[in-house]
Amino acid sequence: MKYAFEHPVIATIGTEKYKCTVTWRNGKFIADEPESSGGKDKGPDPTTLLLSSLGTCTLATLRMYIDRKGWNVPNISVSVNLYREIREGKNITVIDRDLNFLSPVTDEQRERMIQIARVCPISKILEGEIHIRTFAYSDSGEEKKHTYTNEDITVVWKPELCRHSARCATQLPTVFNPAARPWINMDGATSEEIREQVAKCPTGALSIAK
């Protein structure tokens, strides 16, 4: 298993309803709820973010394809919306995506770009099988920790924060083996490989001693 991002997208919320700060690899932005839901509409709401993800992925995928083909299609827009309904006792969400080519295209080009839009990465995610795994942890202030060293670097492990040891075992099994004691073998990889894996820990359970 390999994650899409080296560092996860992180969202935090305080006491202000319902302002969330989202941190991504290159900065931060605000998400919020509309005033009708008790928020202040300071940023896009979660459904808007979902639709924006599909819309922007569609456009980027089409631009790559158009440029590769050398077609003269300088501007495209996409409108995305959704509705929910119950069919045969099941909750169904339907997303409508409307492509608008702001310059003339042939019928053949139009049909081909519809096909390309349908296979953009976010389309594949939304139309594929999705499993959402949820882990929970808290900063209890607990100081219990274990250290492992290879005389070059020292890994610090805080078991109370650890929720993802299986991920380490999948990504660097020569070092991390939850079934073994000790479960971290510092001779199983280079120091740089261990540093890279430790940096991916989303909870702070693993760190490199300074």
Side-chain angles (χ1 to χ4, degrees):
M1 178 192 72
K2 184 178 180 180
Y3 283 113
F5 300 136
E6 181 178 354
H7 301 290
V9 175
I10 298 175
T12 59
I13 192 170
T15 57
E16 182 180 349
K17 298 180 180 180
Y18 290 100
K19 176 184 174 183
C20 297
T21 300
V22 181
T23 302
W24 62 296
R25 63 180 177 275
N26 201 36
K28 298 179 180 180
F29 65 88
I30 300 299
D32 201 353
E33 292 286 346
E35 293 182 1
S36 60
S37 299
K40 295 183 179 178
D41 222 9
K42 292 183 175 180
D45 60 88
T47 302
T48 297
L49 290 171
L50 175 66
L51 295 177
S52 299
S53 178
L54 178 61
T56 55
C57 184
T58 298
L59 292 174
T61 302
L62 287 174
R63 176 50 60 200
M64 292 176 190
Y65 183 78
I66 290 167
D67 290 349
R68 187 165 65 248
K69 285 290 187 178
W71 292 347
N72 181 25
V73 185
N75 294 294
I76 316 166
S77 70
V78 60
S79 299
V80 192
N81 212 335
L82 62 76
Y83 64 90
R84 300 179 180 90
E85 62 182 13
I86 297 177
R87 297 180 189 172
E88 300 178 353
K90 294 182 179 180
N91 291 315
I92 303 296
T93 299
V94 178
I95 299 177
D96 285 337
R97 170 175 49 192
D98 299 326
L99 303 177
N100 184 16
F101 302 103
L102 306 178
S103 58
V105 297
T106 67
D107 291 343
E108 182 180 355
Q109 289 174 326
R110 181 183 296 104
E111 289 303 314
R112 183 55 182 155
M113 286 189 280
I114 289 174
Q115 295 174 13
I116 296 300
R118 287 172 176 163
V119 295
C120 81
I122 297 300
S123 290
K124 289 182 177 180
I125 291 174
L126 293 176
E127 295 191 295
E129 186 172 349
I130 299 175
H131 299 274
I132 300 176
R133 305 191 304 174
T134 302
F135 305 90
Y137 64 96
S138 61
D139 187 358
S140 63
E142 178 62 56
E143 292 299 322
K144 183 178 180 181
K145 58 186 178 181
H146 303 278
T147 58
Y148 307 85
T149 186
N150 62 3
E151 297 183 359
D152 179 26
I153 61 171
T154 297
V155 172
V156 180
W157 176 51
K158 298 180 181 179
E160 286 77 13
L161 298 180
C162 190
R163 298 293 184 275
H164 308 89
S165 59
R167 302 181 188 183
C168 292
T170 301
Q171 296 175 359
L172 196 59
T174 56
V175 174
F176 300 97
N177 181 4
R181 294 293 182 273
W183 80 286
I184 299 178
N185 173 23
M186 294 295 289
D187 295 324
T190 66
S191 296
E192 186 57 32
E193 289 173 325
I194 295 173
R195 284 183 187 275
E196 290 178 359
Q197 184 61 40
V198 168
K200 298 176 183 177
C201 179
T203 67
L206 293 173
S207 61
I208 302 296
K210 296 181 180 180

